[in-house]
Amino acid sequence: MKDDVFAKVENQYVNYGTRARELQKQGQKLIGYICSFVPLEIITAAGCVPFRVRGDIREPITQGDTLMETIVCPFIRSCFDLSVKGKYDFLSGMVIPHGCDSMVRSYSTWNYSLNLPYFHFVNTPSVVKESSFEFFEEELKTYKKSLERFTGRTVTDADLAKAIRLHNENRNKARALYDFKKSNPPMISGVELAKVLTVGSSLPVTESNALFDEVIAAVSRRKEPPLKMGPRILVDGPCVDNIELMKIVEDSGASVVADTTCNGTRDALPRTDEGGDPIKALARRYLDKINCPKTYRDNKAGTFEGDAEARFGDIGAYAREFKADGAILYVYKFCDPFGFEVPARKAYYESIKVPLLHIEDLYSAGTIGQLKTRIQAFLEMIG
Amino acid sequence: MQCVLGIDMGSSCTKGVLMAGTEVLAQVDSLSGGDFKLTADRIREELLARAHVSARSISHTVATGFGSKSVSYADSMVTDISCHAKGVIHLCPTVRTAVDAGDLYSKAFRMDEKGNLQNFLLSGKCAGGSARILKVVAKVLQLNVEELGDLALKSTKKVEFNTGCAVFAESEAVSRIAEGVSKEDLLAGIHRALAAQLNALAVRLGIEKDYALVGGGARNAGLVKALEAVSGFLIVVPSHPHMTAALGAALIAAEAGRP
């Protein structure tokens, strides 16, 4: 029997944004984002609802490409295409950070083409150094002010502290969900968790918290794992917001036990420190605790191994914690931050002795057949 | 007599091998056509007829290749990469690195002495680096694809052909013809371009001797020679190189049937 909560998740995953549309009709302001570097706590503290804008690999990019060049990465082009086609017309605004070049260079296209009441660009530093934090704190204050102007209400430190607490609760619950993957076979499949997290990112944080609680309760009641015993795979990459990749892995007899993806652990796990200056804590959380290839990290050790540990240590930590037998480095064509790093990442995987399959893909359902061949051959190899 | 069947449904050709023990009873290949299921059934019938055995004597069938799902009578499916590795080692035990020039995409793979896959790489998602380029150019030159290799070997002048993409290849071929380049020289250039792409895949994996070319492209002497030229290695070509994945599938079927 299918758990009710999973039927609900499935419904909201397929009809992504239905709850957001309802909220908009009730007068709520929804603010879209496409990258892990957007501090959601500030949106929540301003009384708005953060909403993760998704792409769709089954929807051909058409209208979007009349406004944006194809050198922009296909994930962003798909998100943009759906936006100009009106899928997210319930949004009151969008926040785009300095994530990758594709985001910076396409910001004005987003802004002018969608013509939403609120648009803001967060200048996220690309280097993690002490001076970057000072800069980023000021940048976050500007971002907060722009939301205050838009909503006409002041965001106090108490508002921020409350939002931080709510989002931290969300991360604790996400952590509990990930912990279900530690058993062998995992008690929650990669596809299930990806759908839950995706739906969670389309809801107000309080509703997302309630949903995660329901899922945790449902999974705790399970007697049998949803998948058979098979190779345990870590998915490493940017925003993989369509479950097809994980579905191929799990349909081929393996299970996705961990990830580093934006809509996975990168968004869902790092917590913000509570108790101190909320802006300082948010700057720390978003700049230091989110590990994305877009940011350069100081090589404090001064060695090749030290550099690799600073940049990729989280991969090794997840691989050990979730006992991964192999990893898939999944990168979109024209994804600069990940693309540039591929050789160094490969070298890191070799050093931690985790077999790796590197896939460069388009953001399109047309490549599913070829993905299958590669993934099945990889599983045959490590299995 | 207990037999096993390996069937490799490629995007262009379907290959079948019927074996008993380590002996090949029959092998068949034919175009895959527009109805994969029908082709798969026809291949099995023909194999059985040639070997004079009945369908009931087949203990296990392994299907592989792009259309493996269309083989309704298959007991299991294995990717063509693992099958190639098994097939190649069976025929040429010293091979450790191989490239396969396929119609849909090309691949390079490394294997151990037992034919276990060690690592692999596939060419890109488009037709870049696939042997499709030869068909495209054959059409431009109004030749049969089988003639291309031998013609390329008659080349007397080196012509650079820069396109690895089968779609752009057509326009580059036409431009070269317009420049007055002979078809032999043009073909030699195209074979070099394809060989360079195949070799680049193998180099990224790291080439360990012996180095083999398998798949339909290995029947093209011009391509074998071009690969030797770009890689600096002697290229091993198994007998019936287009059948190695089907043979490997049959060998895996035999392993599966063993208690």
Side-chain angles (χ1 to χ4, degrees):
Chain A
M1 196 183 77
K2 207 164 167 64
D3 295 305
D4 282 350
V5 63
F6 282 105
K8 190 162 83 179
V9 165
E10 181 66 26
N11 183 21
Q12 296 205 42
Y13 178 81
V14 176
N15 305 302
Y16 191 70
T18 28
R19 177 64 185 145
R21 198 174 285 283
E22 275 171 29
L23 291 166
Q24 185 252 347
K25 287 198 181 119
Q26 292 164 20
Q28 292 255 38
K29 289 189 167 68
L30 289 113
I31 306 292
Y33 66 97
I34 48 169
C35 171
S36 299
F37 279 118
V38 176
L40 308 182
E41 291 84 348
I42 298 182
I43 299 175
T44 301
C48 302
V49 178
F51 177 90
R52 201 181 231 290
V53 169
R54 267 173 77 196
D56 182 355
I57 63 165
R58 293 182 195 282
E59 169 75 30
I61 302 171
T62 49
Q63 253 171 281
D65 278 0
T66 64
L67 298 158
M68 212 177 258
E69 277 300 317
T70 49
I71 194 169
V72 174
C73 98
F75 160 68
I76 290 184
R77 277 166 51 225
S78 177
C79 289
F80 177 69
D81 182 60
L82 295 181
S83 302
V84 288
K85 283 173 179 164
K87 183 169 168 67
Y88 303 120
D89 58 5
F90 48 79
L91 293 177
S92 297
M94 274 198 78
V95 180
I96 292 181
H98 185 161
C100 56
D101 266 3
S102 283
M103 284 180 214
V104 182
R105 313 296 160 193
S106 70
Y107 174 74
S108 57
T109 311
W110 282 88
N111 193 352
Y112 297 131
S113 310
L114 297 183
N115 203 20
L116 298 174
Y118 175 75
F119 242 96
H120 189 77
F121 180 77
V122 179
N123 191 357
T124 317
S126 296
V127 180
V128 184
K129 275 176 168 276
E130 274 321 300
S131 57
S132 315
F133 292 102
E134 226 173 282
F135 172 86
F136 195 41
E137 283 162 24
E138 288 309 310
E139 187 59 24
L140 291 184
K141 285 177 196 163
T142 314
Y143 163 43
K144 187 186 79 165
K145 271 185 207 139
S146 80
L147 269 169
E148 286 174 336
R149 265 197 308 279
F150 171 63
T151 57
R153 62 181 260 188
T154 311
V155 177
T156 63
D157 276 5
D159 294 332
L160 283 173
K162 189 180 165 209
I164 288 172
R165 201 166 58 244
L166 285 170
H167 282 276
N168 273 349
E169 266 176 40
N170 196 256
R171 286 160 196 146
N172 292 346
K173 293 176 204 298
R175 185 66 199 167
L177 287 168
Y178 271 97
D179 284 346
F180 285 123
K181 292 196 181 196
K182 284 186 184 164
S183 59
N184 197 19
M187 289 311 285
I188 187 167
S189 74
V191 169
E192 284 174 331
L193 182 54
K195 286 181 179 172
V196 170
L197 294 178
T198 302
V199 170
S201 68
S202 73
L203 302 173
V205 64
T206 46
E207 291 183 24
S208 177
N209 285 347
L211 174 76
F212 289 4
D213 277 339
E214 273 186 75
V215 177
I216 291 167
V219 177
S220 305
R221 282 195 301 270
R222 278 185 176 167
K223 305 264 187 307
E224 293 289 326
L227 296 170
K228 290 201 183 74
M229 187 93 87
R232 300 168 62 83
I233 302 298
L234 179 145
V235 173
D236 183 15
C239 189
V240 188
D241 61 351
N242 282 266
I243 46 96
E244 275 72 7
L245 174 81
M246 294 188 181
K247 194 164 165 359
I248 294 169
V249 171
E250 298 193 331
D251 285 350
S252 308
S255 49
V256 174
V257 292
D259 66 77
T260 68
T261 62
C262 304
N263 54 320
T265 60
R266 196 170 289 123
D267 257 7
L269 294 191
R271 290 168 42 90
T272 312
D273 295 335
E274 291 181 46
D277 177 348
I279 292 288
K280 268 194 183 358
L282 287 172
R284 212 27 82 184
R285 193 258 174 196
Y286 281 89
L287 200 52
D288 196 24
K289 295 191 186 176
I290 291 183
N291 190 4
C292 167
K294 106 100 183 176
T295 35
Y296 173 76
R297 275 156 203 275
D298 244 351
N299 178 3
K300 292 197 177 103
T303 59
F304 181 78
E305 291 76 18
D307 183 39
E309 193 53 37
R311 289 159 69 190
F312 314 123
D314 57 335
I315 299 171
Y318 286 136
R320 279 189 301 275
E321 188 184 355
F322 292 93
K323 299 197 168 54
D325 300 315
I328 297 175
L329 173 57
Y330 181 73
V331 179
Y332 301 123
K333 215 172 181 62
F334 301 117
C335 174
D336 294 358
F338 274 90
F340 286 134
E341 273 204 341
V342 166
R345 274 186 187 249
K346 279 186 176 168
Y348 179 74
Y349 278 99
E350 249 170 64
S351 77
I352 60 169
K353 298 195 168 48
V354 172
L356 177 71
L357 172 67
H358 166 224
I359 298 177
E360 192 193 64
D361 198 12
L362 305 171
Y363 193 84
S364 159
T367 62
I368 285 176
Q370 302 207 15
L371 280 181
K372 263 186 203 160
T373 308
R374 286 169 164 81
I375 289 168
Q376 285 167 355
F378 178 65
L379 294 175
E380 283 165 12
M381 194 177 88
I382 65 169
Chain B
M1 183 173 43
Q2 283 278 302
C3 325
V4 289
L5 173 61
I7 179 160
D8 172 18
M9 283 222 84
S11 59
S12 165
C13 286
T14 300
K15 289 77 69 175
V17 171
L18 189 67
M19 290 181 88
T22 51
E23 190 201 345
V24 173
L25 299 178
Q27 53 184 358
V28 170
D29 68 292
S30 127
L31 289 175
S32 298
D35 187 339
F36 279 18
K37 201 183 158 299
L38 192 76
T39 307
D41 291 346
R42 206 159 38 76
I43 291 269
R44 181 169 69 159
E45 276 162 34
E46 199 169 330
L47 285 167
L48 294 171
R50 284 200 196 178
H52 306 291
V53 293
S54 74
R56 261 174 301 157
S57 56
I58 299 175
S59 63
H60 199 98
T61 299
V62 168
T64 186
F66 192 70
S68 54
K69 268 207 284 195
S70 309
V71 185
S72 54
Y73 50 83
D75 297 296
S76 53
M77 278 186 272
V78 179
T79 63
D80 54 347
I81 305 165
S82 297
C83 289
H84 265 305
K86 277 276 184 246
V88 170
I89 283 296
H90 183 75
L91 296 169
C92 313
T94 55
V95 169
R96 291 294 171 270
T97 311
V99 286
D100 164 35
D103 188 50
L104 193 59
Y105 42 70
S106 296
K107 45 191 159 298
F109 47 98
R110 298 255 314 248
M111 66 220 104
D112 67 11
E113 70 284 355
K114 288 183 182 137
N116 296 315
L117 194 61
Q118 299 289 294
N119 206 350
F120 67 95
L121 257 180
L122 271 66
S123 61
K125 292 132 301 267
C126 59
S130 83
R132 173 75 52 92
I133 193 171
L134 297 177
K135 280 190 188 165
V136 170
V137 172
K139 201 174 134 216
V140 173
L141 299 176
Q142 296 182 316
L143 294 166
N144 288 322
V145 73
E146 293 79 17
E147 311 171 59
L148 301 186
D150 291 337
L151 276 172
L153 291 175
K154 292 190 185 129
S155 159
T156 52
K157 218 169 109 209
K158 193 166 177 179
V159 172
E160 286 304 333
F161 194 86
N162 297 315
T163 311
C165 163
V167 178
F168 290 134
E170 190 165 356
S171 57
E172 190 174 359
V174 173
S175 326
R176 288 286 179 278
I177 295 164
E179 286 164 15
V181 166
S182 80
K183 60 179 183 249
E184 288 83 0
D185 293 341
L186 172 67
L187 285 169
I190 291 166
H191 281 77
R192 265 196 307 277
L194 178 57
Q197 296 226 4
L198 291 170
N199 192 56
L201 286 175
V203 168
R204 279 169 66 188
L205 283 184
I207 298 172
E208 189 190 333
K209 285 202 289 187
D210 287 346
Y211 185 7
L213 178 63
V214 301
R219 289 190 291 182
N220 175 328
L223 186 60
V224 176
K225 185 147 181 283
L227 186 58
E228 288 187 333
V230 294
S231 70
F233 283 89
L234 186 73
I235 300 297
V236 175
V237 177
S239 55
H240 311 293
H242 60 302
M243 303 295 292
T244 45
L247 174 68
L251 290 165
I252 292 171
E255 284 173 18
R258 250 174 248 143

